[in-house]
Amino acid sequence: MTVRTRVVLGAVTDQPLDLAAHEAAVADRRAGAVVSFQGVVRDHDHGRAVTRLEYEGHPSAEAVLREVAAEIATDPAVHAVAVSHRIGPLEIGDVALVAAVSTAHRAAAFAACARLVDEVKARLPIWKRQVFDDGTEEWVNCP
């Protein structure tokens, strides 16, 4: 059996994210599992009502995102990885992060997707400004 090169996609964009496109990007004939994740803007944080968010990214953000995706793709169980993060103003219900991973079996796909999302959240130089319903705001993950 010929093994295809792993597909590794990573993008930081101000455009809406498409979960189906990420799932299609990781499609692989060897894959028995595709696990995906959407990080959706919620209407609250730590008991406070959130009205909107804005994400700002460092110029290196896309390179870091691709680096994280490439690291996850080195796992021999992983066939393909796709991940994108949105920047700019987002409303409640908008998708801020999309990730998809394909593997032969579901346990490996769930584990790899969880590692992917956790590493992106830990390492990506993207900062979130939350605006609360009382007009105050807060920056999150900002150095």
Side-chain angles (χ1 to χ4, degrees):
M1 173 158 113
T2 302
V3 175
R4 291 180 23 212
T5 302
R6 291 183 180 95
V7 176
V8 179
L9 302 174
V12 173
T13 180
D14 61 359
Q15 298 301 306
L17 302 178
D18 182 351
L19 178 65
H22 284 71
E23 291 171 339
V26 301
D28 188 297
R29 293 175 55 89
R30 300 169 293 155
V34 172
V35 170
S36 57
F37 170 83
Q38 289 190 109
V40 180
V41 176
R42 63 182 180 272
D43 68 354
H44 66 279
D45 190 34
H46 299 291
R48 298 179 70 190
V50 173
T51 59
R52 68 182 186 282
L53 297 180
E54 182 176 342
Y55 285 96
E56 286 199 25
H58 187 272
S60 68
E62 188 162 281
V64 172
L65 187 71
R66 289 175 185 262
E67 179 181 293
V68 170
E71 287 174 13
I72 298 300
T74 64
D75 181 333
V78 172
H79 297 310
V81 175
V83 60
S84 297
H85 201 297
R86 192 160 166 203
I87 56 173
L90 281 78
E91 300 296 327
I92 304 305
D94 285 347
V95 177
L97 172 65
V98 171
V101 176
S102 63
T103 67
H105 302 285
R106 73 176 175 272
F110 278 113
C113 193
R115 281 195 322 272
L116 175 60
V117 171
D118 289 346
E119 284 298 310
V120 165
K121 297 297 284 179
R123 294 171 43 192
L124 199 62
I126 289 183
W127 305 281
K128 175 173 64 174
R129 182 176 69 98
Q130 301 185 113
V131 179
F132 298 102
D133 67 348
D134 64 4
T136 62
E137 61 183 49
E138 166 187 68
W139 282 93
V140 181
N141 297 333
C142 190

PDB file of all heavy atoms in Angstrom, residues 43 47-52 130-137:
ATOM      1  N   ASP A  43     -21.902  33.564  24.650  1.00  0.00           N
ATOM      2  CA  ASP A  43     -22.447  34.829  25.166  1.00  0.00           C
ATOM      3  C   ASP A  43     -22.085  35.115  26.617  1.00  0.00           C
ATOM      4  O   ASP A  43     -22.669  35.997  27.234  1.00  0.00           O
ATOM      5  CB  ASP A  43     -23.966  34.854  24.992  1.00  0.00           C
ATOM      6  CG  ASP A  43     -24.689  33.852  25.882  1.00  0.00           C
ATOM      7  OD1 ASP A  43     -24.027  33.034  26.569  1.00  0.00           O
ATOM      8  OD2 ASP A  43     -25.931  33.879  25.883  1.00  0.00           O
ATOM      9  N   GLY A  47     -19.224  34.099  34.230  1.00  0.00           N
ATOM     10  CA  GLY A  47     -20.422  34.680  34.828  1.00  0.00           C
ATOM     11  C   GLY A  47     -20.812  36.051  34.303  1.00  0.00           C
ATOM     12  O   GLY A  47     -21.772  36.646  34.780  1.00  0.00           O
ATOM     13  N   ARG A  48     -20.092  36.561  33.322  1.00  0.00           N
ATOM     14  CA  ARG A  48     -20.401  37.879  32.753  1.00  0.00           C
ATOM     15  C   ARG A  48     -20.926  37.707  31.333  1.00  0.00           C
ATOM     16  O   ARG A  48     -20.426  36.868  30.577  1.00  0.00           O
ATOM     17  CB  ARG A  48     -19.150  38.755  32.735  1.00  0.00           C
ATOM     18  CG  ARG A  48     -18.601  39.008  34.141  1.00  0.00           C
ATOM     19  CD  ARG A  48     -17.360  39.841  34.116  1.00  0.00           C
ATOM     20  NE  ARG A  48     -17.714  41.220  33.711  1.00  0.00           N
ATOM     21  CZ  ARG A  48     -16.809  42.139  33.421  1.00  0.00           C
ATOM     22  NH1 ARG A  48     -15.525  41.849  33.450  1.00  0.00           N
ATOM     23  NH2 ARG A  48     -17.185  43.354  33.082  1.00  0.00           N
ATOM     24  N   ALA A  49     -21.903  38.520  30.966  1.00  0.00           N
ATOM     25  CA  ALA A  49     -22.483  38.455  29.630  1.00  0.00           C
ATOM     26  C   ALA A  49     -21.546  39.122  28.618  1.00  0.00           C
ATOM     27  O   ALA A  49     -21.135  40.261  28.794  1.00  0.00           O
ATOM     28  CB  ALA A  49     -23.843  39.138  29.610  1.00  0.00           C
ATOM     29  N   VAL A  50     -21.212  38.387  27.560  1.00  0.00           N
ATOM     30  CA  VAL A  50     -20.352  38.875  26.488  1.00  0.00           C
ATOM     31  C   VAL A  50     -21.226  39.249  25.302  1.00  0.00           C
ATOM     32  O   VAL A  50     -22.117  38.496  24.922  1.00  0.00           O
ATOM     33  CB  VAL A  50     -19.325  37.792  26.073  1.00  0.00           C
ATOM     34  CG1 VAL A  50     -18.527  38.221  24.848  1.00  0.00           C
ATOM     35  CG2 VAL A  50     -18.403  37.457  27.231  1.00  0.00           C
ATOM     36  N   THR A  51     -20.960  40.426  24.703  1.00  0.00           N
ATOM     37  CA  THR A  51     -21.743  40.847  23.539  1.00  0.00           C
ATOM     38  C   THR A  51     -21.003  40.627  22.231  1.00  0.00           C
ATOM     39  O   THR A  51     -21.624  40.414  21.198  1.00  0.00           O
ATOM     40  CB  THR A  51     -22.150  42.331  23.644  1.00  0.00           C
ATOM     41  OG1 THR A  51     -20.971  43.133  23.745  1.00  0.00           O
ATOM     42  CG2 THR A  51     -23.037  42.551  24.853  1.00  0.00           C
ATOM     43  N   ARG A  52     -19.665  40.689  22.259  1.00  0.00           N
ATOM     44  CA  ARG A  52     -18.876  40.423  21.057  1.00  0.00           C
ATOM     45  C   ARG A  52     -17.411  40.250  21.432  1.00  0.00           C
ATOM     46  O   ARG A  52     -16.996  40.568  22.540  1.00  0.00           O
ATOM     47  CB  ARG A  52     -19.052  41.512  20.016  1.00  0.00           C
ATOM     48  CG  ARG A  52     -18.477  42.847  20.373  1.00  0.00           C
ATOM     49  CD  ARG A  52     -18.761  43.886  19.276  1.00  0.00           C
ATOM     50  NE  ARG A  52     -18.103  45.131  19.554  1.00  0.00           N
ATOM     51  CZ  ARG A  52     -18.513  46.038  20.433  1.00  0.00           C
ATOM     52  NH1 ARG A  52     -19.613  45.837  21.122  1.00  0.00           N
ATOM     53  NH2 ARG A  52     -17.840  47.144  20.627  1.00  0.00           N
ATOM     54  N   GLN A 130     -12.710  40.833  24.794  1.00  0.00           N
ATOM     55  CA  GLN A 130     -14.120  40.558  25.054  1.00  0.00           C
ATOM     56  C   GLN A 130     -14.814  41.852  25.459  1.00  0.00           C
ATOM     57  O   GLN A 130     -14.301  42.588  26.289  1.00  0.00           O
ATOM     58  CB  GLN A 130     -14.286  39.553  26.203  1.00  0.00           C
ATOM     59  CG  GLN A 130     -13.631  38.240  25.961  1.00  0.00           C
ATOM     60  CD  GLN A 130     -13.930  37.251  27.050  1.00  0.00           C
ATOM     61  OE1 GLN A 130     -14.598  36.281  26.784  1.00  0.00           O
ATOM     62  NE2 GLN A 130     -13.445  37.467  28.255  1.00  0.00           N
ATOM     63  N   VAL A 131     -15.980  42.087  24.883  1.00  0.00           N
ATOM     64  CA  VAL A 131     -16.792  43.240  25.261  1.00  0.00           C
ATOM     65  C   VAL A 131     -18.004  42.693  26.014  1.00  0.00           C
ATOM     66  O   VAL A 131     -18.718  41.814  25.527  1.00  0.00           O
ATOM     67  CB  VAL A 131     -17.227  44.057  24.029  1.00  0.00           C
ATOM     68  CG1 VAL A 131     -18.098  45.231  24.456  1.00  0.00           C
ATOM     69  CG2 VAL A 131     -16.007  44.532  23.243  1.00  0.00           C
ATOM     70  N   PHE A 132     -18.215  43.235  27.218  1.00  0.00           N
ATOM     71  CA  PHE A 132     -19.295  42.759  28.078  1.00  0.00           C
ATOM     72  C   PHE A 132     -20.534  43.634  27.925  1.00  0.00           C
ATOM     73  O   PHE A 132     -20.451  44.768  27.435  1.00  0.00           O
ATOM     74  CB  PHE A 132     -18.832  42.726  29.539  1.00  0.00           C
ATOM     75  CG  PHE A 132     -17.677  41.784  29.750  1.00  0.00           C
ATOM     76  CD1 PHE A 132     -16.385  42.262  29.882  1.00  0.00           C
ATOM     77  CD2 PHE A 132     -17.889  40.414  29.803  1.00  0.00           C
ATOM     78  CE1 PHE A 132     -15.314  41.405  30.073  1.00  0.00           C
ATOM     79  CE2 PHE A 132     -16.823  39.547  29.988  1.00  0.00           C
ATOM     80  CZ  PHE A 132     -15.533  40.038  30.123  1.00  0.00           C
ATOM     81  N   ASP A 133     -21.659  43.129  28.379  1.00  0.00           N
ATOM     82  CA  ASP A 133     -22.930  43.858  28.206  1.00  0.00           C
ATOM     83  C   ASP A 133     -22.993  45.159  29.000  1.00  0.00           C
ATOM     84  O   ASP A 133     -23.800  46.029  28.689  1.00  0.00           O
ATOM     85  CB  ASP A 133     -24.131  42.965  28.521  1.00  0.00           C
ATOM     86  CG  ASP A 133     -24.232  42.572  29.979  1.00  0.00           C
ATOM     87  OD1 ASP A 133     -23.277  42.781  30.750  1.00  0.00           O
ATOM     88  OD2 ASP A 133     -25.290  42.029  30.343  1.00  0.00           O
ATOM     89  N   ASP A 134     -22.090  45.341  29.967  1.00  0.00           N
ATOM     90  CA  ASP A 134     -22.071  46.600  30.721  1.00  0.00           C
ATOM     91  C   ASP A 134     -21.144  47.636  30.084  1.00  0.00           C
ATOM     92  O   ASP A 134     -20.914  48.708  30.634  1.00  0.00           O
ATOM     93  CB  ASP A 134     -21.680  46.369  32.185  1.00  0.00           C
ATOM     94  CG  ASP A 134     -20.269  45.832  32.350  1.00  0.00           C
ATOM     95  OD1 ASP A 134     -19.524  45.696  31.344  1.00  0.00           O
ATOM     96  OD2 ASP A 134     -19.898  45.533  33.506  1.00  0.00           O
ATOM     97  N   GLY A 135     -20.582  47.296  28.901  1.00  0.00           N
ATOM     98  CA  GLY A 135     -19.716  48.217  28.186  1.00  0.00           C
ATOM     99  C   GLY A 135     -18.240  48.085  28.514  1.00  0.00           C
ATOM    100  O   GLY A 135     -17.401  48.678  27.842  1.00  0.00           O
ATOM    101  N   THR A 136     -17.902  47.317  29.536  1.00  0.00           N
ATOM    102  CA  THR A 136     -16.491  47.115  29.867  1.00  0.00           C
ATOM    103  C   THR A 136     -15.901  46.071  28.925  1.00  0.00           C
ATOM    104  O   THR A 136     -16.628  45.362  28.228  1.00  0.00           O
ATOM    105  CB  THR A 136     -16.311  46.673  31.334  1.00  0.00           C
ATOM    106  OG1 THR A 136     -16.975  45.423  31.524  1.00  0.00           O
ATOM    107  CG2 THR A 136     -16.855  47.720  32.295  1.00  0.00           C
ATOM    108  N   GLU A 137     -14.586  45.998  28.928  1.00  0.00           N
ATOM    109  CA  GLU A 137     -13.914  45.033  28.072  1.00  0.00           C
ATOM    110  C   GLU A 137     -12.732  44.424  28.800  1.00  0.00           C
ATOM    111  O   GLU A 137     -12.275  44.940  29.813  1.00  0.00           O
ATOM    112  CB  GLU A 137     -13.463  45.676  26.766  1.00  0.00           C
ATOM    113  CG  GLU A 137     -12.469  46.798  26.948  1.00  0.00           C
ATOM    114  CD  GLU A 137     -12.115  47.445  25.622  1.00  0.00           C
ATOM    115  OE1 GLU A 137     -13.018  47.778  24.845  1.00  0.00           O
ATOM    116  OE2 GLU A 137     -10.903  47.617  25.387  1.00  0.00           O
TER     117      GLU A 137
END
